[in-house]
Amino acid sequence: MNIKIDDLSDPRIAEFLEEHMRDMLSVSPPESTHALNLNELKDVAVTFWSVWQEQSLVGCAALKRLDANHGEVKSMRVSNEFRGQGVARKMLAHLISHAEEEGFSRLSLETGSMAFFDPARRLYESFGFSYCDPFGEYKIDPNSVFMSLELEVSES
C-alpha cells in the first residue's frame, strides 16, 4: 500500500470524492454534511493524501490547518472493497504522524452521529480521540459528533 500526497489531478480521485459525497448525503441531511469538495481540498491550508494498492485507489484522507497548532481530519474514506483491511488505520496513523511533524498540538474532527459512522468513531476512539464540543465554525448538530486528540509536540 502506498500513501502519497496528491495534487487531486487524477480523474479517479474526483470520482472517488464524488462517491464519498453521495455516501455522506445518503445518510446525512445536506446541512449536516461537511465533506470538502474537490476545489476546497485544493486549498493551501489542506494536505490531501491518496492511498493506492498497485493501480487501485483504495482510500484518501486530508488534514486542514485551522491555525498554527490545530488541524482538522477531513475526507477520510476507504473504498468499499478494501474496508475492514486496515487501510483507514494506516491512513489515520500517517495523518497523525504528519500532524506531529508539522508541530500541531491538537487534531479535531467532525463525523456523523448515525450508526453508519460507528466504525469511524470506533477507529478514532482507538487512536485516543475523545468527544468534545464543536470547534472552528461548527455548531451543535444532532447529526454530528466532534472529537479531538492532543498530540505530542516534538521539541526541535
Side-chain angles (χ1 to χ4, degrees), residues 90-107:
K90 289 177 185 166
M91 286 190 319
L92 187 56
H94 184 84
L95 190 148
I96 291 169
S97 176
H98 178 82
E100 289 173 335
E101 289 170 9
E102 290 293 312
F104 287 106
S105 58
R106 181 176 174 210
L107 275 183

Side-chain angles (χ1 to χ4, degrees), residues 145-156:
V145 296
F146 305 93
M147 302 178 84
S148 188
L149 175 68
E150 299 301 317
L151 298 176
E152 296 292 323
V153 180
S154 60
E155 302 292 326
S156 306

Side-chain angles (χ1 to χ4, degrees), residues 8 36 38-47 64-65:
L8 299 146
L36 299 178
L38 189 62
N39 285 331
E40 292 169 321
L41 287 167
K42 291 179 180 178
D43 188 281
V44 296
V46 177
T47 303
K64 181 178 180 182
R65 180 178 289 276

